[in-house]
Amino acid sequence: MNKKLDEFSQISKNKNFIKIIVQIFKEIELAGCNISARYDTGPPIHEFSEKGRNCLIRIPIKEFVNRPSEAIWTILHEFGHHMSGNIPKNKLNEETILMREKEAWDFARKYILNIQELHDNIEQFEIYAEKCLKSYYQHFNR
């Protein structure tokens, strides 16, 4: 856990941020998921193992260096994918993907509303979540 915290502390030196990250990481691990930083320019990802029991969340640290709140929201969004459960790739279509993206943002929203330190930023969260959802709709030309 300490190595992960060191990686994610690059995003913010704010002690409140680290406290919230520790809480989230513990819940992610209790749910049978792992989280790690990625240092390339790829997107945040959530992947289930081949057997669908465990998963890995990878967050691009460099993308969030100056935006720690967005890092938390993205982590919670990816955790929301885990909480939605695994779905076979052959069952993924545009409708299912869009529904699962919305579900993951809904999960993040509910989580944020239960943490007072994050609750105060709910308006910025809504703007960010909407921007991310719009990118999916644009990808599917909707």
Side-chain angles (χ1 to χ4, degrees):
M1 177 75 89
N2 287 341
K3 182 178 184 252
K4 287 182 210 180
L5 290 176
D6 288 344
E7 289 176 326
F8 282 86
S9 69
Q10 295 175 39
I11 295 172
S12 175
K13 301 298 181 199
N14 181 316
K15 289 183 193 253
N16 235 5
F17 173 85
I18 300 302
K19 183 178 111 185
I20 293 167
I21 287 288
V22 168
Q23 177 183 342
I24 294 169
F25 283 8
K26 285 179 181 178
E27 290 187 41
I28 288 171
E29 289 179 1
L30 284 173
C33 197
N34 291 306
I35 185 165
S36 67
R38 67 184 295 176
Y39 295 95
D40 60 9
T41 57
I45 59 169
H46 169 271
E47 299 174 313
F48 278 101
S49 67
E50 287 184 27
K51 295 181 181 178
R53 292 190 188 109
N54 296 322
C55 76
L56 174 63
I57 294 171
R58 296 187 62 221
I59 303 297
I61 295 293
K62 293 176 186 176
E63 182 177 329
F64 296 108
V65 167
N66 296 313
R67 301 182 337 257
S69 294
E70 289 180 11
I72 290 174
W73 302 332
T74 300
I75 291 166
L76 290 172
H77 169 78
E78 296 302 329
F79 186 30
H81 282 302
H82 176 73
M83 299 306 284
S84 293
N86 193 12
I87 185 167
K89 299 245 188 255
N90 64 351
K91 298 213 180 202
L92 285 176
N93 57 40
E94 288 180 20
E95 289 297 320
T96 306
I97 291 169
L98 292 171
M99 178 191 71
R100 289 177 66 85
E101 286 301 317
K102 185 174 178 332
E103 283 177 3
W105 285 113
D106 289 344
F107 172 87
R109 180 179 298 103
K110 288 175 188 169
Y111 195 102
I112 288 165
L113 290 173
N114 287 317
I115 299 177
Q116 187 59 45
E117 296 90 347
L118 297 177
H119 185 263
D120 295 340
N121 296 317
I122 196 68
E123 288 180 37
Q124 290 87 3
F125 165 81
E126 295 296 350
I127 292 167
Y128 183 73
E130 184 63 31
K131 179 181 101 175
C132 293
L133 278 172
K134 278 184 182 179
S135 72
Y136 270 90
Y137 285 102
Q138 289 171 345
H139 175 75
F140 292 120
N141 298 312
R142 293 185 171 221

